[in-house]
Amino acid sequence: MALKITTECINCGACEPECPNKAIYEVGTVWKLSDGTSLKGMVQFKSLLIDADAVQVPKSNKVYFIVTEKCTECIGFNNEPQCASVCPVDCCILDINNIESKDELLKKKKMLHNEK
Ligand code: SF4
Ligand code: SF4
């Protein structure tokens, strides 16, 4: 499943450069699915069809946030979620509202980076 950042976040910024999928954004930042990925044009995520190049509104105006569609639990890159590894206050946690199997996460990672 994807990870999420809780309101315990102290906005230190340590996690953001560690994400291999550019799924983490600073508080109040606009984002795109195409940032740091190979995605372009219309992309299907579960039941959602999203324009990868469209500028999206920030998911949080209080703390750093994770774009669920781009989080793969770091599968295919690292053995453990890098954001959780570096967070000084342990506020990067599994998002039980976005449950995905390891196979689904690996498939997502390949889709994000246009791998076969
Ligand atoms: Fe990025 Fe990995 Fe954290 Fe997901 S678990 S947000 S892919 S660093
Ligand atoms: Fe927030 Fe933790 Fe990321 Fe720092 S490392 S910005 S406290 S989620």
Side-chain angles (χ1 to χ4, degrees):
M1 64 189 86
L3 271 74
K4 68 175 184 180
I5 293 173
T6 72
T7 53
E8 305 299 309
C9 171
I10 57 171
N11 293 320
C12 74
C15 55
E16 191 258 331
E18 301 299 325
C19 181
N21 299 320
K22 185 78 179 96
I24 303 173
Y25 290 83
E26 189 176 354
V27 50
T29 307
V30 295
W31 58 276
K32 294 186 285 184
L33 284 176
S34 59
D35 293 337
T37 72
S38 302
L39 298 177
K40 41 189 164 178
M42 301 306 290
V43 185
Q44 187 86 41
F45 277 99
K46 296 185 178 171
S47 59
L48 290 177
L49 195 58
I50 308 174
D51 183 350
D53 302 303
V55 176
Q56 308 286 351
V57 296
K59 286 181 179 274
S60 173
N61 287 312
K62 292 190 174 142
V63 292
Y64 273 63
F65 62 88
I66 290 173
V67 173
T68 305
E69 291 81 359
K70 294 206 281 181
C71 176
T72 61
E73 251 183 75
C74 287
I75 279 185
F77 293 101
N78 298 98
N79 292 332
E80 55 187 31
Q82 294 303 285
C83 51
S85 294
V86 301
C87 181
V89 293
D90 295 332
C91 68
C92 300
I93 63 171
L94 289 171
D95 181 358
I96 57 169
N97 291 320
N98 285 292
I99 295 175
E100 295 159 292
S101 68
K102 300 283 181 201
D103 282 350
E104 287 172 321
L105 290 168
L106 188 56
K107 198 169 154 194
K108 189 202 279 190
K109 183 256 186 184
K110 289 180 176 174
M111 183 182 77
L112 291 176
H113 301 288
N114 196 24
E115 299 168 356
K116 299 293 175 201

